């Protein structure tokens, strides 16, 4: 009975460790530009949460906007900037979530 409890614990521990793998390390960040259209509309701040797909060599291959406030105002700027980001190569495909916050101080 003790042996089966150990294997159940070991399996649960392995699952927990794989779910909490270290986040990919960013080695190059490019800040997004504040969209001129947003400033013209009087929008001075917002945020976008996105998921990036990272190739084995650390290059971003895809950006998916998960949440945005306000909607569709900063999406293009975030996508363009995140496509220029570079992560430490891991030898395998990875994903990461990134939240970018916009504040126009002008």
């Amino acid at each position: 009975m003790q042996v089966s409890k150990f294997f159940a614990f070991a399996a649960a521990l392995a699952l927990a460790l794989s779910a909490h793998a270290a986040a990919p390390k960013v080695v190059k960040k490019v800040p997004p530009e504040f969209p001129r259209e947003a400033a013209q509309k009087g929008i001075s701040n917002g945020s976008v949460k996105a998921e990036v797909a990272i190739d084995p060599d650390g290059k971003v291959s895809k950006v998916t906007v998960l949440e945005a406030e306000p909607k569709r105002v900063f999406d293009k700027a975030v996508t363009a900037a995140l496509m220029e980001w570079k992560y430490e190569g891991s030898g395998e495909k990875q994903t990461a979530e990134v939240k970018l916050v916009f504040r126009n101080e002008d």
Side-chain angles (χ1 to χ4, degrees):
M1 210 60 169
Q2 292 288 25
V3 173
S4 63
K5 285 183 183 178
F6 172 77
F7 285 116
F9 172 75
L13 181 62
L15 185 61
L17 290 175
S18 67
H20 296 291
K25 182 180 178 187
V26 179
V27 295
K28 176 187 170 193
K29 287 185 180 182
V30 174
E33 292 187 25
F34 196 94
R36 185 178 66 226
E37 299 81 18
Q40 291 171 342
K41 292 179 181 178
I43 298 170
S44 60
N45 58 45
S47 65
V48 175
K49 181 176 171 183
E51 180 181 74
V52 293
I54 306 161
D55 286 341
D57 64 356
K59 291 175 70 175
V60 174
S61 60
K62 182 179 177 185
V63 175
T64 304
V65 173
L66 303 174
E67 298 173 12
E69 186 58 43
K71 293 189 183 305
R72 293 182 295 281
V73 173
F74 301 106
D75 295 15
K76 286 182 184 177
V78 165
T79 300
L82 289 176
M83 287 299 293
E84 298 297 320
W85 283 32
K86 178 85 173 164
Y87 287 81
E88 201 170 76
S90 69
E92 58 186 44
K93 287 189 166 230
Q94 296 179 291
T95 60
E97 285 189 7
V98 179
K99 183 175 181 177
L100 298 176
V101 177
F102 289 82
R103 285 196 178 81
N104 189 2
E105 302 297 325
D106 293 342

Tab-separated table of all heavy atoms in Angstrom, residues 63-97:
chain	number	residue	atom	x	y	z
A	63	VAL	N	1.845	36.187	-32.476
A	63	VAL	CA	1.318	36.935	-31.337
A	63	VAL	C	-0.194	36.830	-31.381
A	63	VAL	O	-0.813	37.092	-32.412
A	63	VAL	CB	1.735	38.424	-31.390
A	63	VAL	CG1	1.088	39.209	-30.263
A	63	VAL	CG2	3.257	38.559	-31.344
A	64	THR	N	-0.797	36.435	-30.257
A	64	THR	CA	-2.245	36.350	-30.146
A	64	THR	C	-2.694	37.253	-29.007
A	64	THR	O	-2.262	37.075	-27.865
A	64	THR	CB	-2.690	34.902	-29.843
A	64	THR	OG1	-2.166	34.036	-30.854
A	64	THR	CG2	-4.203	34.788	-29.794
A	65	VAL	N	-3.544	38.238	-29.308
A	65	VAL	CA	-4.069	39.127	-28.273
A	65	VAL	C	-5.131	38.367	-27.497
A	65	VAL	O	-6.089	37.846	-28.073
A	65	VAL	CB	-4.639	40.421	-28.889
A	65	VAL	CG1	-5.327	41.267	-27.830
A	65	VAL	CG2	-3.527	41.213	-29.572
A	66	LEU	N	-4.955	38.298	-26.171
A	66	LEU	CA	-5.892	37.589	-25.299
A	66	LEU	C	-6.912	38.536	-24.678
A	66	LEU	O	-8.081	38.201	-24.561
A	66	LEU	CB	-5.123	36.854	-24.191
A	66	LEU	CG	-4.066	35.856	-24.654
A	66	LEU	CD1	-3.293	35.319	-23.460
A	66	LEU	CD2	-4.715	34.718	-25.436
A	67	GLU	N	-6.439	39.695	-24.246
A	67	GLU	CA	-7.303	40.708	-23.623
A	67	GLU	C	-6.772	42.080	-24.011
A	67	GLU	O	-5.561	42.263	-24.139
A	67	GLU	CB	-7.257	40.602	-22.091
A	67	GLU	CG	-7.747	39.304	-21.516
A	67	GLU	CD	-7.518	39.221	-20.006
A	67	GLU	OE1	-7.201	40.236	-19.370
A	67	GLU	OE2	-7.635	38.111	-19.473
A	68	ALA	N	-7.672	43.032	-24.173
A	68	ALA	CA	-7.244	44.400	-24.476
A	68	ALA	C	-8.253	45.384	-23.907
A	68	ALA	O	-9.457	45.161	-23.972
A	68	ALA	CB	-7.122	44.597	-25.978
A	69	GLU	N	-7.736	46.461	-23.345
A	69	GLU	CA	-8.592	47.516	-22.793
A	69	GLU	C	-7.963	48.857	-23.136
A	69	GLU	O	-6.859	49.134	-22.683
A	69	GLU	CB	-8.734	47.357	-21.275
A	69	GLU	CG	-9.722	48.315	-20.657
A	69	GLU	CD	-11.128	48.219	-21.236
A	69	GLU	OE1	-11.644	47.121	-21.463
A	69	GLU	OE2	-11.707	49.297	-21.484
A	70	PRO	N	-8.575	49.678	-23.942
A	70	PRO	CA	-9.786	49.416	-24.728
A	70	PRO	C	-9.503	48.441	-25.881
A	70	PRO	O	-8.376	48.312	-26.321
A	70	PRO	CB	-10.170	50.797	-25.257
A	70	PRO	CG	-8.950	51.628	-25.190
A	70	PRO	CD	-8.084	51.055	-24.126
A	71	LYS	N	-10.569	47.800	-26.318
A	71	LYS	CA	-10.436	46.773	-27.356
A	71	LYS	C	-9.960	47.368	-28.684
A	71	LYS	O	-10.369	48.446	-29.065
A	71	LYS	CB	-11.770	46.059	-27.562
A	71	LYS	CG	-12.181	45.229	-26.364
A	71	LYS	CD	-13.379	44.367	-26.702
A	71	LYS	CE	-13.872	43.575	-25.521
A	71	LYS	NZ	-12.903	42.745	-24.875
A	72	ARG	N	-9.053	46.642	-29.355
A	72	ARG	CA	-8.558	46.908	-30.705
A	72	ARG	C	-7.856	48.254	-30.884
A	72	ARG	O	-7.596	48.664	-32.001
A	72	ARG	CB	-9.688	46.772	-31.729
A	72	ARG	CG	-10.170	45.325	-31.854
A	72	ARG	CD	-11.254	45.155	-32.886
A	72	ARG	NE	-12.495	45.836	-32.577
A	72	ARG	CZ	-13.422	45.396	-31.724
A	72	ARG	NH1	-13.242	44.260	-31.088
A	72	ARG	NH2	-14.524	46.075	-31.512
A	73	VAL	N	-7.517	48.967	-29.826
A	73	VAL	CA	-6.822	50.250	-29.954
A	73	VAL	C	-5.312	50.057	-30.046
A	73	VAL	O	-4.636	50.689	-30.859
A	73	VAL	CB	-7.185	51.195	-28.780
A	73	VAL	CG1	-6.340	52.451	-28.811
A	73	VAL	CG2	-8.669	51.528	-28.810
A	74	PHE	N	-4.768	49.160	-29.222
A	74	PHE	CA	-3.326	48.965	-29.146
A	74	PHE	C	-2.850	47.646	-29.747
A	74	PHE	O	-1.654	47.355	-29.737
A	74	PHE	CB	-2.871	49.042	-27.673
A	74	PHE	CG	-3.206	50.348	-27.021
A	74	PHE	CD1	-4.235	50.438	-26.096
A	74	PHE	CD2	-2.496	51.493	-27.332
A	74	PHE	CE1	-4.541	51.649	-25.491
A	74	PHE	CE2	-2.792	52.706	-26.734
A	74	PHE	CZ	-3.825	52.786	-25.813
A	75	ASP	N	-3.763	46.848	-30.283
A	75	ASP	CA	-3.422	45.508	-30.771
A	75	ASP	C	-2.310	45.510	-31.824
A	75	ASP	O	-1.363	44.725	-31.743
A	75	ASP	CB	-4.657	44.810	-31.350
A	75	ASP	CG	-5.730	44.529	-30.309
A	75	ASP	OD1	-5.668	45.107	-29.212
A	75	ASP	OD2	-6.632	43.728	-30.611
A	76	LYS	N	-2.403	46.374	-32.828
A	76	LYS	CA	-1.395	46.398	-33.896
A	76	LYS	C	-0.029	46.808	-33.353
A	76	LYS	O	0.993	46.228	-33.735
A	76	LYS	CB	-1.824	47.345	-35.016
A	76	LYS	CG	-2.930	46.801	-35.875
A	76	LYS	CD	-3.278	47.765	-36.996
A	76	LYS	CE	-4.456	47.276	-37.803
A	76	LYS	NZ	-4.844	48.229	-38.847
A	77	ALA	N	0.005	47.796	-32.473
A	77	ALA	CA	1.270	48.258	-31.904
A	77	ALA	C	1.919	47.161	-31.065
A	77	ALA	O	3.131	46.946	-31.126
A	77	ALA	CB	1.044	49.511	-31.057
A	78	VAL	N	1.104	46.447	-30.298
A	78	VAL	CA	1.623	45.359	-29.464
A	78	VAL	C	2.136	44.222	-30.337
A	78	VAL	O	3.230	43.699	-30.116
A	78	VAL	CB	0.535	44.859	-28.482
A	78	VAL	CG1	0.904	43.523	-27.872
A	78	VAL	CG2	0.303	45.894	-27.401
A	79	THR	N	1.377	43.842	-31.343
A	79	THR	CA	1.793	42.755	-32.231
A	79	THR	C	3.111	43.094	-32.931
A	79	THR	O	4.036	42.269	-32.964
A	79	THR	CB	0.694	42.438	-33.263
A	79	THR	OG1	-0.494	42.043	-32.551
A	79	THR	CG2	1.111	41.331	-34.210
A	80	ALA	N	3.217	44.309	-33.468
A	80	ALA	CA	4.442	44.718	-34.163
A	80	ALA	C	5.640	44.694	-33.216
A	80	ALA	O	6.716	44.204	-33.575
A	80	ALA	CB	4.269	46.109	-34.764
A	81	ALA	N	5.466	45.189	-31.999
A	81	ALA	CA	6.571	45.222	-31.040
A	81	ALA	C	6.960	43.811	-30.599
A	81	ALA	O	8.149	43.466	-30.595
A	81	ALA	CB	6.193	46.067	-29.825
A	82	LEU	N	5.985	42.993	-30.235
A	82	LEU	CA	6.295	41.649	-29.736
A	82	LEU	C	6.931	40.765	-30.802
A	82	LEU	O	7.727	39.882	-30.479
A	82	LEU	CB	5.045	40.982	-29.158
A	82	LEU	CG	4.533	41.559	-27.844
A	82	LEU	CD1	3.237	40.874	-27.423
A	82	LEU	CD2	5.573	41.461	-26.749
A	83	MET	N	6.628	40.997	-32.072
A	83	MET	CA	7.258	40.217	-33.138
A	83	MET	C	8.761	40.511	-33.224
A	83	MET	O	9.512	39.713	-33.770
A	83	MET	CB	6.587	40.490	-34.489
A	83	MET	CG	5.200	39.868	-34.625
A	83	MET	SD	5.155	38.052	-34.498
A	83	MET	CE	6.047	37.560	-35.971
A	84	GLU	N	9.195	41.627	-32.645
A	84	GLU	CA	10.612	41.991	-32.630
A	84	GLU	C	11.335	41.500	-31.375
A	84	GLU	O	12.554	41.616	-31.277
A	84	GLU	CB	10.767	43.515	-32.741
A	84	GLU	CG	10.222	44.095	-34.028
A	84	GLU	CD	10.948	43.583	-35.265
A	84	GLU	OE1	12.189	43.447	-35.215
A	84	GLU	OE2	10.271	43.296	-36.273
A	85	TRP	N	10.571	41.012	-30.394
A	85	TRP	CA	11.198	40.515	-29.167
A	85	TRP	C	11.989	39.249	-29.482
A	85	TRP	O	11.698	38.522	-30.428
A	85	TRP	CB	10.138	40.208	-28.108
A	85	TRP	CG	9.591	41.409	-27.415
A	85	TRP	CD1	9.422	42.660	-27.938
A	85	TRP	CD2	9.096	41.475	-26.080
A	85	TRP	NE1	8.860	43.494	-27.012
A	85	TRP	CE2	8.658	42.797	-25.859
A	85	TRP	CE3	8.989	40.552	-25.061
A	85	TRP	CZ2	8.112	43.205	-24.639
A	85	TRP	CZ3	8.441	40.956	-23.848
A	85	TRP	CH2	8.021	42.271	-23.634
A	86	LYS	N	12.974	38.986	-28.636
A	86	LYS	CA	13.797	37.784	-28.773
A	86	LYS	C	13.904	37.136	-27.399
A	86	LYS	O	14.099	37.827	-26.395
A	86	LYS	CB	15.182	38.181	-29.298
A	86	LYS	CG	16.151	37.065	-29.449
A	86	LYS	CD	16.002	36.355	-30.760
A	86	LYS	CE	17.158	35.344	-30.883
A	86	LYS	NZ	16.959	34.380	-31.880
A	87	TYR	N	13.754	35.835	-27.368
A	87	TYR	CA	13.869	35.060	-26.137
A	87	TYR	C	15.120	34.202	-26.206
A	87	TYR	O	15.644	33.931	-27.287
A	87	TYR	CB	12.634	34.167	-25.948
A	87	TYR	CG	11.402	34.935	-25.552
A	87	TYR	CD1	10.634	35.601	-26.495
A	87	TYR	CD2	11.006	35.010	-24.221
A	87	TYR	CE1	9.508	36.319	-26.128
A	87	TYR	CE2	9.878	35.730	-23.851
A	87	TYR	CZ	9.135	36.381	-24.802
A	87	TYR	OH	8.024	37.095	-24.441
A	88	GLU	N	15.578	33.767	-25.059
A	88	GLU	CA	16.691	32.829	-24.999
A	88	GLU	C	16.247	31.530	-25.659
A	88	GLU	O	15.187	31.008	-25.337
A	88	GLU	CB	17.049	32.595	-23.526
A	88	GLU	CG	18.431	32.085	-23.288
A	88	GLU	CD	18.777	32.114	-21.813
A	88	GLU	OE1	18.288	31.228	-21.081
A	88	GLU	OE2	19.508	33.028	-21.400
A	89	GLY	N	17.042	31.025	-26.601
A	89	GLY	CA	16.695	29.787	-27.287
A	89	GLY	C	16.669	28.612	-26.319
A	89	GLY	O	17.526	28.489	-25.454
A	90	SER	N	15.656	27.770	-26.474
A	90	SER	CA	15.525	26.614	-25.579
A	90	SER	C	15.650	25.292	-26.327
A	90	SER	O	15.674	24.239	-25.712
A	90	SER	CB	14.167	26.665	-24.877
A	90	SER	OG	13.131	26.429	-25.824
A	91	GLY	N	15.660	25.362	-27.661
A	91	GLY	CA	15.703	24.136	-28.443
A	91	GLY	C	14.335	23.527	-28.690
A	91	GLY	O	14.221	22.505	-29.351
A	92	GLU	N	13.299	24.156	-28.142
A	92	GLU	CA	11.937	23.659	-28.374
A	92	GLU	C	10.982	24.838	-28.464
A	92	GLU	O	11.287	25.937	-28.030
A	92	GLU	CB	11.507	22.710	-27.260
A	92	GLU	CG	11.532	23.311	-25.875
A	92	GLU	CD	11.241	22.294	-24.789
A	92	GLU	OE1	11.792	21.182	-24.843
A	92	GLU	OE2	10.456	22.630	-23.883
A	93	LYS	N	9.813	24.590	-29.064
A	93	LYS	CA	8.799	25.643	-29.148
A	93	LYS	C	8.225	25.908	-27.761
A	93	LYS	O	8.043	24.977	-26.982
A	93	LYS	CB	7.681	25.246	-30.109
A	93	LYS	CG	8.091	25.296	-31.550
A	93	LYS	CD	6.887	25.121	-32.451
A	93	LYS	CE	7.269	25.509	-33.853
A	93	LYS	NZ	6.342	26.427	-34.438
A	94	GLN	N	7.959	27.186	-27.483
A	94	GLN	CA	7.388	27.572	-26.196
A	94	GLN	C	6.340	28.652	-26.417
A	94	GLN	O	6.229	29.213	-27.506
A	94	GLN	CB	8.479	28.151	-25.282
A	94	GLN	CG	9.570	27.185	-24.904
A	94	GLN	CD	10.595	27.861	-24.015
A	94	GLN	OE1	11.330	28.716	-24.464
A	94	GLN	NE2	10.613	27.481	-22.755
A	95	THR	N	5.603	28.946	-25.365
A	95	THR	CA	4.700	30.097	-25.373
A	95	THR	C	4.914	30.876	-24.087
A	95	THR	O	5.392	30.332	-23.088
A	95	THR	CB	3.217	29.682	-25.470
A	95	THR	OG1	2.886	28.868	-24.344
A	95	THR	CG2	2.916	28.953	-26.766
A	96	ALA	N	4.556	32.152	-24.140
A	96	ALA	CA	4.638	33.000	-22.954
A	96	ALA	C	3.529	34.034	-23.036
A	96	ALA	O	3.103	34.420	-24.128
A	96	ALA	CB	6.000	33.696	-22.877
A	97	GLU	N	3.048	34.458	-21.871
A	97	GLU	CA	2.074	35.540	-21.819
A	97	GLU	C	2.790	36.812	-21.415
A	97	GLU	O	3.662	36.803	-20.550
A	97	GLU	CB	0.956	35.221	-20.824
A	97	GLU	CG	-0.018	34.210	-21.348
A	97	GLU	CD	-1.256	34.054	-20.463
A	97	GLU	OE1	-1.427	34.823	-19.501
A	97	GLU	OE2	-2.044	33.148	-20.747
